[in-house]
Amino acid sequence: TEKTMNSKSFTTATLAALTTALLLCALPARAAVITWSAPVTIALDTDVSTAGTLVAAYSLNTAAVTINGVSFANGSASLTSLGTPFTMTGFTTHYALFGGGTSAPYKNLSSAYTNLLANGIYVGNLATTPVITIQNLTIGEQYAIQVWGDDSRTGRAVANYANVYSTGGGNNVALHYNSTGAVGGVGQWTIGTFVADATTQTFIIYGNSASGMADTYLNAVQLRDLGASTSFGIAYWNGLAGSGGNATLDTTSLNFCTNLFSAPVGIADN
């Protein structure tokens, strides 16, 4: 039976329906969920994403390089701050010898890419958990964060990896550092997407002891803005499915909108 909203009074059923509808359209909890892509083995300059608009990209412990049109600034000055908008905790050492020399497939990469991968930062134990914080985010905006982990030196087993995940939930992916288990093998990259529900967002990259990996490496990172999310917003009543006391109270008609908070009230999107 369809309930109606009277301008002077609410029935118990009406209040219950209204509460349910608002809960369905409620804002997400703080610390957004990051959805990470399946890790991809490093292969070409086109590994570097160009989706959306570049916010910032940093190499670690190396001079600035440009790959696939994306400029990676030198982020080696500090172990706690790459520059706007990234801060970090848990890393202890800069390192410039992750490269694979003249062995394939590492040697087949462009010089800019090998330069990027040969350098990085790391922590050599599991006593601390490296955390990267992204700052200055716009609430309601969708972002993509891309990270690279590589160790092309000899002696790094194929099985060794680190886990990448968000403190706000979502999936956990294993980033392997060497595709062949020998000098010249290459690592992997992954892209995490999220809709900012706060001005900061954190994620973790952490060595996995079960894989025999006690070290955590990070070679490069970039953040891209994918534009305003169409699913994040504030629910409001606009009564477009009826007028006055005849407006239908449900969550499927035009009565409830979930537009971005910046959209004018009264524009239906469902």
Side-chain angles (χ1 to χ4, degrees):
T1 302
E2 188 174 72
K3 301 297 181 181
T4 60
M5 183 172 68
N6 186 282
S7 59
K8 294 183 180 180
S9 64
F10 290 92
T11 65
T12 301
T14 297
L15 286 172
L18 179 59
T19 300
T20 300
L22 290 174
L23 287 173
L24 288 172
C25 298
L27 294 176
R30 286 194 173 272
V33 169
I34 298 180
T35 301
W36 296 96
S37 68
V40 179
T41 300
I42 292 163
L44 298 166
D45 282 9
T46 51
D47 292 346
V48 179
S49 175
T50 58
T53 303
L54 177 66
V55 177
Y58 289 97
S59 60
L60 282 301
N61 197 34
T62 187
V65 295
T66 298
I67 304 171
N68 199 30
V70 176
S71 296
F72 289 80
N74 181 359
S76 65
S78 170
L79 287 166
T80 59
S81 177
L82 287 174
T84 305
F86 297 102
T87 59
M88 305 176 295
T89 60
F91 291 103
T92 60
T93 309
H94 290 112
Y95 195 69
L97 297 174
F98 288 123
T102 59
S103 299
Y106 179 85
K107 73 170 186 176
N108 299 328
L109 300 172
S110 69
S111 59
Y113 212 169
T114 57
N115 190 27
L116 185 76
L117 298 174
N119 299 271
I121 56 176
Y122 78 94
V123 55
N125 60 72
L126 299 177
T128 59
T129 303
V131 178
I132 297 93
T133 300
I134 311 168
Q135 301 177 319
N136 304 328
L137 299 172
T138 299
I139 295 174
E141 203 79 349
Q142 186 176 21
Y143 293 93
I145 178 73
Q146 185 173 17
V147 297
W148 284 261
D150 177 87
D151 184 0
S152 296
R153 301 171 296 169
T154 185
R156 178 59 64 202
V158 176
N160 292 163
Y161 65 87
N163 292 107
V164 182
Y165 56 96
S166 165
T167 54
N171 61 327
N172 182 324
V173 297
L175 204 63
H176 289 258
Y177 290 123
N178 191 304
S179 59
T180 66
V183 62
V186 292
Q188 294 183 315
W189 55 265
T190 181
I191 296 177
T193 57
F194 65 97
V195 177
D197 61 3
T199 57
T200 62
Q201 175 69 37
T202 58
F203 69 93
I204 289 168
I205 179 168
Y206 185 57
N208 189 290
S209 59
S211 76
M213 185 71 191
D215 300 341
T216 301
Y217 304 142
L218 179 65
N219 302 81
V221 61
Q222 76 155 324
L223 178 68
R224 303 194 70 87
D225 187 337
L226 303 182
S229 169
T230 58
S231 62
F232 179 91
I234 298 176
Y236 57 84
W237 171 269
N238 64 14
L240 293 183
S243 60
N246 295 318
T248 303
L249 183 59
D250 58 33
T251 60
T252 59
S253 72
L254 297 181
N255 283 319
F256 279 92
C257 295
T258 55
N259 292 296
L260 292 175
F261 62 87
S262 57
V265 173
I267 297 177
D269 69 353
N270 55 352

